[in-house]
Amino acid sequence: MAVAVLWVQRQRANWVRISLALGIVAALVTLAVPVRAVQVRLSPSNPQLGDTLSVIVQQDPTLSRTPTVKMGQKTYPTFVTSSGAFRALLPTSPLDQPGTVQIQVQGGSESKTLSVPLRSRSFPTQRIRLSGAAGAKATQHELDRVAAFKNLETPEKYWNGPFVKPNSGRISAGYGIRRYYNGVFAKDYYHRGVDYAGGMGSPVVAPAAGRVALVGRVSEGFRVHGNVVGIDHGQGVTSIMMHLSRIDVREGQLVKPGQRIGAVGSTGASTGPHLHWGLYVHGISVDPVPWRERGFE
């Protein structure tokens, strides 16, 4: 019996020594592997021209500085998400060159470079003939107001989840279409939005929550946009609704998704009743379809 007890004690001592040795090895391995202070996730992973790129940056909580995200020569703002990560939205357009784009992310002293393949995309061509009021040039007042609206960078995020359809009509002209106007090809032009062929006077609703930041009327010199409503969704995302027959909101008003803001018309540079919905990210017109299909955090 005494021999058995002695054997058990020896085995227990051996296991203690082995456990201590394994603990030391594990600690050394942990010290040898550097802690990644910044993790980056990109969506969509295989983008095409016109897509909005969402860059999610998860960094060590001990880092006090906000991470920076840069694509090309431009640095884009980052905002804190509900999960505590940071998110930047990067717009692309049909005027960009397809191919590999470089996205640089800087968090603290750590930097990452993502090489992202931006796929080409085929856009149809239309021939449009404008005459009379539909062919009028924009006033400087109109251009200044619309430009200021599209470049809003409100820190607050109003939208939540996928955007809704702003009119029940069929889509008569999609995003990115190239056009000839009165026989002349518009070189740097692409259709900056989606047209809905809703009937005259049919409801136009807010595609997402936001603040009405632009109300313009033909009587105020909005010759091209016609009667127009611009909604600031926050964090550089804006919607513009053009050619309205009626406006039912005022500047500064907060609206909910699906809330009526006006009615379909044919004011401004329009050849017939329809709603033009343009979606902008940091002043660049992007394809609204992904925002309706899956949304962005």
Side-chain angles (χ1 to χ4, degrees), residues 165-168 170 172-173 191 193-199 202-205 227 229 240-244 261 263-266 270 272-278:
K165 191 176 180 180
N167 181 260
S168 60
R170 65 177 179 83
S172 56
H191 190 227
V194 175
D195 287 353
Y196 291 87
S202 61
V204 173
V205 303
N227 297 326
V229 170
I240 193 163
M241 326 298 283
M242 296 165 48
H243 312 306
L244 305 176
I261 61 172
V264 168
S266 186
S270 170
H274 73 285
L275 167 68
H276 174 95
W277 171 35

Side-chain angles (χ1 to χ4, degrees), residues 69-114:
V69 177
K70 185 177 181 180
M71 183 171 69
Q73 299 302 311
K74 184 170 180 179
T75 299
Y76 292 88
T78 56
F79 299 94
V80 180
T81 67
S82 58
S83 65
F86 292 87
R87 190 259 299 125
L89 296 175
L90 283 53
T92 70
S93 83
L95 301 182
D96 291 331
Q97 290 296 319
T100 301
V101 296
Q102 303 292 326
I103 299 175
Q104 293 87 34
V105 179
Q106 183 76 39
S109 61
E110 185 176 345
S111 62
K112 289 179 178 289
T113 300
L114 306 179

Side-chain angles (χ1 to χ4, degrees), residues 158-269:
Y158 295 107
W159 87 87
N160 184 30
F163 284 31
V164 302
K165 191 176 180 180
N167 181 260
S168 60
R170 65 177 179 83
I171 294 179
S172 56
Y175 169 83
I177 291 173
R178 312 305 296 269
R179 281 176 174 169
Y180 287 84
Y181 283 104
N182 296 343
V184 179
F185 181 69
K187 182 179 179 182
D188 294 326
Y189 167 89
Y190 65 95
H191 190 227
R192 288 168 166 80
V194 175
D195 287 353
Y196 291 87
M200 176 67 78
S202 61
V204 173
V205 303
R211 179 180 61 87
V212 177
L214 172 68
V215 170
R217 294 179 170 83
V218 175
S219 60
E220 300 167 349
F222 283 76
R223 297 175 182 169
V224 171
H225 295 77
N227 297 326
V228 61
V229 170
I231 301 174
D232 176 16
H233 302 296
Q235 300 186 351
V237 182
T238 57
S239 282
I240 193 163
M241 326 298 283
M242 296 165 48
H243 312 306
L244 305 176
S245 62
R246 190 180 69 252
I247 295 174
D248 297 330
V249 289
R250 64 185 184 282
E251 286 190 14
Q253 180 178 343
L254 293 176
V255 293
K256 299 177 181 179
Q259 180 177 335
R260 183 167 180 154
I261 61 172
V264 168
S266 186
T267 55

